[in-house]
Amino acid sequence: MSFSILRSAVLVGLGLIAHMPAHAELDPLAAQIQPLAKSSLVLDIATTGKQLVAVGQRGHVLIKQQDWQQVATPVIAQLTKTFFINDTHGWAVGHDATIIHTQDGGMTWQLQMQSPDIEKPFLDVMFFDPQHGIAVGAYGLFYRTSDGGQNWQEEFHEELLFEEDVAYLAELKLEDEALYLSEKSALLPHFNRVVKLSDGRILMVGELGTVTISDNQGKHFDKVEFDYDGSMFTAIEYQNNIYVMGLRGHVFKTDHTFSQWQEIELPVESSINGAFETTDGRLLLVGNAGSIIEIKDNTAALLARRQGENIVAVAADVQGQLWFAGSKGLFQLQD
């Protein structure tokens, strides 16, 4: 029995993923405005081009203009990732298969999808233009929209299953339809991050050494040969190379052919959660145990370490000042 089949046992009893269009009757609780939201769990920061938007626990969304301020959202689900296609249109995703949308740069938000019965989080979201986008997450969670998020349709990427699981599902479908549907919703790995490369292809990384490439906006993925079976949490294109990174400080570098990989040694073994190219051309990695690392000429240097804190994201405001996000909220490094 494969590892993925064993893992699926914990999901017995979960309902099937159900599409819930924007016009469905949803009655979410609004996120409460909290005076200490800036200092609570924040899981991502994105720029609209004019300001920063951060998302985190209990549906919190914070906007940075002169200072950080929390804005109201229609959900209390933990938000894991946010993405802006331009200055005004953005999306945030999170637990309970939640997707919310803004048309005014993050000041107000509308619910597009939510289904607590799914019991899986979305972990990333990407739009190719204001109408076409994808949201991905745990156990192969994958949805697509072609109308700006008014409606989302589920996709199942069988091409990313292990070969033994393809055969297992085919046999199960003939024998037990209900069990087939339950197993189908649990056999794919977690999809942790999607990145658009400069050549237009989509890179997606995830659990169990998942590194995949798509040349048709994620409608089909090809597995990349990758000799590591740990989780990859993030990826970035930097100076014509691609870096994928994740569990216990494993960082790998390749070119656009994905034919050869070089491992970059880090000064710490902390898992790497986020990567960012600064306005002055530096590559920064952030991770657990408060690690902030700079990569230069294949050499990694530890810039800072904040004990008792996990860092998950970093972004620059319009002045080029860096902001970091993590388990203790938003902060800047002190000189």
Side-chain angles (χ1 to χ4, degrees):
M1 183 177 292
S2 72
F3 171 77
S4 53
I5 294 173
L6 288 171
R7 184 187 65 181
S8 71
V10 301
L11 293 181
V12 172
L14 292 186
L16 302 178
I17 295 176
H19 166 55
M20 187 169 291
H23 53 72
E25 292 186 8
L26 299 167
D27 187 26
L29 297 173
Q32 298 294 313
I33 301 297
Q34 301 289 338
L36 299 179
K38 179 185 172 183
S39 301
S40 60
L41 176 66
V42 176
L43 291 173
D44 193 33
I45 319 174
T47 180
T48 70
K50 294 183 178 180
Q51 60 191 15
L52 293 180
V53 178
V55 301
Q57 70 175 23
R58 298 188 62 80
H60 291 174
V61 173
L62 298 104
I63 308 296
K64 185 184 182 297
Q65 294 173 327
Q66 298 300 317
D67 198 2
W68 288 99
Q69 67 177 85
Q70 187 186 357
V71 299
T73 67
V75 297
I76 60 170
Q78 182 165 287
L79 298 174
T80 58
K81 198 71 175 175
T82 185
F83 177 91
F84 279 79
I85 191 70
N86 52 40
D87 291 351
T88 56
H89 283 70
W91 289 261
V93 299
H95 288 227
D96 294 339
T98 296
I99 303 176
I100 60 175
H101 171 55
T102 178
Q103 302 181 71
D104 55 11
M107 298 306 296
T108 61
W109 294 82
Q110 301 79 44
L111 183 64
Q112 289 192 334
M113 175 177 170
Q114 188 173 62
S115 182
D117 291 341
I118 291 177
E119 297 188 17
K120 300 178 186 178
F122 282 119
L123 299 173
D124 205 359
V125 58
M126 170 188 289
F127 271 71
F128 312 109
D129 58 52
Q131 297 300 312
H132 298 85
I134 56 176
V136 306
Y139 296 103
L141 193 63
F142 197 112
Y143 274 73
R144 182 182 303 275
T145 182
S146 57
D147 57 12
Q150 294 184 52
N151 295 277
W152 291 86
Q153 291 79 38
E154 180 192 10
E155 292 183 1
F156 181 72
H157 285 272
E158 183 178 293
E159 72 272 19
L160 300 181
L161 285 170
F162 292 106
E163 289 184 11
E164 60 267 31
D165 288 340
V166 174
Y168 167 70
L169 280 180
E171 181 180 350
L172 195 61
K173 187 174 184 180
L174 297 174
E175 297 176 353
D176 190 329
E177 181 74 13
L179 184 56
Y180 161 76
L181 292 172
S182 176
E183 290 286 82
K184 179 182 173 182
S185 71
L187 288 179
L188 284 169
H190 303 334
F191 299 150
N192 293 328
R193 191 70 68 241
V194 284
V195 176
K196 185 175 182 180
L197 302 179
S198 58
D199 60 13
R201 291 181 297 170
I202 302 302
L203 170 68
M204 183 169 68
V205 301
E207 186 189 22
L208 304 175
T210 297
V211 179
T212 66
I213 284 290
S214 172
D215 60 6
N216 57 4
Q217 297 187 344
K219 295 181 177 67
H220 177 89
F221 286 91
D222 292 311
K223 289 183 179 180
V224 171
E225 187 173 338
F226 186 62
D227 191 23
Y228 177 69
D229 59 4
S231 291
M232 294 288 100
F233 298 135
T234 193
I236 190 171
E237 183 176 10
Y238 174 71
Q239 293 184 348
N240 296 317
N241 290 299
I242 291 95
Y243 294 75
V244 301
M245 58 209 80
L247 193 66
R248 292 191 294 272
H250 286 285
V251 177
F252 301 90
K253 172 186 175 182
T254 188
D255 60 20
H256 283 75
T257 67
F258 291 90
S259 58
Q260 293 184 321
W261 292 91
Q262 175 185 1
E263 185 165 8
I264 308 296
E265 277 196 39
L266 298 190
V268 295
E269 293 186 358
S270 304
S271 293
I272 302 301
N273 303 312
F276 182 73
E277 182 177 358
T278 67
T279 54
D280 58 359
R282 297 180 294 148
L283 177 58
L284 297 184
L285 313 183
V286 295
N288 291 353
S291 302
I292 301 175
I293 299 163
E294 180 177 357
I295 301 259
K296 186 176 182 181
D297 298 327
N298 294 329
T299 300
L302 185 64
L303 298 185
R305 194 162 193 182
R306 296 165 65 95
Q307 295 294 341
E309 185 170 358
N310 293 332
I311 307 173
V312 295
V314 54
D317 62 22
V318 292
Q319 289 79 35
Q321 300 297 309
L322 294 176
W323 282 91
F324 298 83
S327 57
K328 294 187 178 179
L330 297 156
F331 68 91
Q332 291 183 288
L333 288 182
Q334 301 300 315
D335 295 329

PDB file of all heavy atoms in Angstrom, residues 217-228:
ATOM      1  N   GLN A 217      -1.403  27.220 -18.579  1.00  0.00           N
ATOM      2  CA  GLN A 217      -2.072  27.856 -17.434  1.00  0.00           C
ATOM      3  C   GLN A 217      -2.650  26.853 -16.444  1.00  0.00           C
ATOM      4  O   GLN A 217      -3.699  27.053 -15.847  1.00  0.00           O
ATOM      5  CB  GLN A 217      -3.159  28.834 -17.912  1.00  0.00           C
ATOM      6  CG  GLN A 217      -2.608  29.987 -18.724  1.00  0.00           C
ATOM      7  CD  GLN A 217      -3.645  31.038 -19.066  1.00  0.00           C
ATOM      8  OE1 GLN A 217      -4.850  30.810 -18.974  1.00  0.00           O
ATOM      9  NE2 GLN A 217      -3.175  32.220 -19.449  1.00  0.00           N
ATOM     10  N   GLY A 218      -1.926  25.759 -16.271  1.00  0.00           N
ATOM     11  CA  GLY A 218      -2.302  24.792 -15.253  1.00  0.00           C
ATOM     12  C   GLY A 218      -3.386  23.818 -15.640  1.00  0.00           C
ATOM     13  O   GLY A 218      -3.900  23.101 -14.781  1.00  0.00           O
ATOM     14  N   LYS A 219      -3.737  23.767 -16.913  1.00  0.00           N
ATOM     15  CA  LYS A 219      -4.737  22.776 -17.325  1.00  0.00           C
ATOM     16  C   LYS A 219      -4.144  21.373 -17.312  1.00  0.00           C
ATOM     17  O   LYS A 219      -4.849  20.377 -17.115  1.00  0.00           O
ATOM     18  CB  LYS A 219      -5.290  23.111 -18.707  1.00  0.00           C
ATOM     19  CG  LYS A 219      -6.085  24.420 -18.749  1.00  0.00           C
ATOM     20  CD  LYS A 219      -6.627  24.689 -20.132  1.00  0.00           C
ATOM     21  CE  LYS A 219      -7.483  25.958 -20.163  1.00  0.00           C
ATOM     22  NZ  LYS A 219      -6.691  27.174 -19.922  1.00  0.00           N
ATOM     23  N   HIS A 220      -2.836  21.277 -17.525  1.00  0.00           N
ATOM     24  CA  HIS A 220      -2.121  20.004 -17.434  1.00  0.00           C
ATOM     25  C   HIS A 220      -0.715  20.296 -16.927  1.00  0.00           C
ATOM     26  O   HIS A 220      -0.098  21.297 -17.308  1.00  0.00           O
ATOM     27  CB  HIS A 220      -2.052  19.311 -18.800  1.00  0.00           C
ATOM     28  CG  HIS A 220      -1.259  18.036 -18.769  1.00  0.00           C
ATOM     29  ND1 HIS A 220      -1.825  16.817 -18.474  1.00  0.00           N
ATOM     30  CD2 HIS A 220       0.067  17.796 -18.964  1.00  0.00           C
ATOM     31  CE1 HIS A 220      -0.898  15.890 -18.502  1.00  0.00           C
ATOM     32  NE2 HIS A 220       0.265  16.449 -18.800  1.00  0.00           N
ATOM     33  N   PHE A 221      -0.219  19.418 -16.047  1.00  0.00           N
ATOM     34  CA  PHE A 221       1.127  19.576 -15.494  1.00  0.00           C
ATOM     35  C   PHE A 221       1.985  18.380 -15.867  1.00  0.00           C
ATOM     36  O   PHE A 221       1.509  17.246 -15.960  1.00  0.00           O
ATOM     37  CB  PHE A 221       1.068  19.682 -13.965  1.00  0.00           C
ATOM     38  CG  PHE A 221       0.544  20.995 -13.458  1.00  0.00           C
ATOM     39  CD1 PHE A 221      -0.811  21.156 -13.211  1.00  0.00           C
ATOM     40  CD2 PHE A 221       1.397  22.060 -13.226  1.00  0.00           C
ATOM     41  CE1 PHE A 221      -1.301  22.361 -12.733  1.00  0.00           C
ATOM     42  CE2 PHE A 221       0.916  23.262 -12.759  1.00  0.00           C
ATOM     43  CZ  PHE A 221      -0.436  23.422 -12.508  1.00  0.00           C
ATOM     44  N   ASP A 222       3.273  18.652 -16.066  1.00  0.00           N
ATOM     45  CA  ASP A 222       4.270  17.607 -16.253  1.00  0.00           C
ATOM     46  C   ASP A 222       5.170  17.583 -15.021  1.00  0.00           C
ATOM     47  O   ASP A 222       5.657  18.631 -14.574  1.00  0.00           O
ATOM     48  CB  ASP A 222       5.125  17.871 -17.493  1.00  0.00           C
ATOM     49  CG  ASP A 222       4.322  17.738 -18.775  1.00  0.00           C
ATOM     50  OD1 ASP A 222       3.613  16.720 -18.912  1.00  0.00           O
ATOM     51  OD2 ASP A 222       4.396  18.651 -19.620  1.00  0.00           O
ATOM     52  N   LYS A 223       5.394  16.385 -14.489  1.00  0.00           N
ATOM     53  CA  LYS A 223       6.286  16.258 -13.343  1.00  0.00           C
ATOM     54  C   LYS A 223       7.726  16.502 -13.765  1.00  0.00           C
ATOM     55  O   LYS A 223       8.161  16.059 -14.832  1.00  0.00           O
ATOM     56  CB  LYS A 223       6.169  14.859 -12.732  1.00  0.00           C
ATOM     57  CG  LYS A 223       4.858  14.586 -12.008  1.00  0.00           C
ATOM     58  CD  LYS A 223       4.904  13.200 -11.377  1.00  0.00           C
ATOM     59  CE  LYS A 223       3.626  12.877 -10.628  1.00  0.00           C
ATOM     60  NZ  LYS A 223       3.671  11.532 -10.017  1.00  0.00           N
ATOM     61  N   VAL A 224       8.456  17.218 -12.924  1.00  0.00           N
ATOM     62  CA  VAL A 224       9.880  17.442 -13.136  1.00  0.00           C
ATOM     63  C   VAL A 224      10.647  16.393 -12.334  1.00  0.00           C
ATOM     64  O   VAL A 224      10.311  16.110 -11.174  1.00  0.00           O
ATOM     65  CB  VAL A 224      10.281  18.855 -12.680  1.00  0.00           C
ATOM     66  CG1 VAL A 224      11.797  19.025 -12.683  1.00  0.00           C
ATOM     67  CG2 VAL A 224       9.615  19.907 -13.563  1.00  0.00           C
ATOM     68  N   GLU A 225      11.664  15.800 -12.951  1.00  0.00           N
ATOM     69  CA  GLU A 225      12.503  14.843 -12.224  1.00  0.00           C
ATOM     70  C   GLU A 225      13.261  15.581 -11.128  1.00  0.00           C
ATOM     71  O   GLU A 225      14.025  16.514 -11.403  1.00  0.00           O
ATOM     72  CB  GLU A 225      13.477  14.154 -13.182  1.00  0.00           C
ATOM     73  CG  GLU A 225      14.258  13.029 -12.538  1.00  0.00           C
ATOM     74  CD  GLU A 225      15.096  12.247 -13.532  1.00  0.00           C
ATOM     75  OE1 GLU A 225      14.770  12.294 -14.727  1.00  0.00           O
ATOM     76  OE2 GLU A 225      16.070  11.614 -13.101  1.00  0.00           O
ATOM     77  N   PHE A 226      13.031  15.146  -9.901  1.00  0.00           N
ATOM     78  CA  PHE A 226      13.528  15.895  -8.745  1.00  0.00           C
ATOM     79  C   PHE A 226      13.858  14.893  -7.651  1.00  0.00           C
ATOM     80  O   PHE A 226      12.981  14.209  -7.134  1.00  0.00           O
ATOM     81  CB  PHE A 226      12.441  16.883  -8.286  1.00  0.00           C
ATOM     82  CG  PHE A 226      12.870  17.820  -7.195  1.00  0.00           C
ATOM     83  CD1 PHE A 226      13.907  18.714  -7.392  1.00  0.00           C
ATOM     84  CD2 PHE A 226      12.225  17.818  -5.967  1.00  0.00           C
ATOM     85  CE1 PHE A 226      14.298  19.583  -6.382  1.00  0.00           C
ATOM     86  CE2 PHE A 226      12.596  18.687  -4.958  1.00  0.00           C
ATOM     87  CZ  PHE A 226      13.642  19.577  -5.170  1.00  0.00           C
ATOM     88  N   ASP A 227      15.142  14.793  -7.323  1.00  0.00           N
ATOM     89  CA  ASP A 227      15.620  13.734  -6.439  1.00  0.00           C
ATOM     90  C   ASP A 227      15.562  14.148  -4.969  1.00  0.00           C
ATOM     91  O   ASP A 227      16.573  14.178  -4.270  1.00  0.00           O
ATOM     92  CB  ASP A 227      17.047  13.346  -6.821  1.00  0.00           C
ATOM     93  CG  ASP A 227      17.498  12.071  -6.115  1.00  0.00           C
ATOM     94  OD1 ASP A 227      16.618  11.291  -5.714  1.00  0.00           O
ATOM     95  OD2 ASP A 227      18.724  11.878  -5.970  1.00  0.00           O
ATOM     96  N   TYR A 228      14.362  14.508  -4.529  1.00  0.00           N
ATOM     97  CA  TYR A 228      14.143  14.825  -3.118  1.00  0.00           C
ATOM     98  C   TYR A 228      12.663  14.646  -2.847  1.00  0.00           C
ATOM     99  O   TYR A 228      11.826  15.124  -3.621  1.00  0.00           O
ATOM    100  CB  TYR A 228      14.574  16.264  -2.808  1.00  0.00           C
ATOM    101  CG  TYR A 228      14.300  16.692  -1.385  1.00  0.00           C
ATOM    102  CD1 TYR A 228      15.015  16.142  -0.328  1.00  0.00           C
ATOM    103  CD2 TYR A 228      13.312  17.634  -1.098  1.00  0.00           C
ATOM    104  CE1 TYR A 228      14.754  16.517   0.986  1.00  0.00           C
ATOM    105  CE2 TYR A 228      13.061  18.030   0.211  1.00  0.00           C
ATOM    106  CZ  TYR A 228      13.777  17.462   1.241  1.00  0.00           C
ATOM    107  OH  TYR A 228      13.519  17.840   2.542  1.00  0.00           O
TER     108      TYR A 228
END
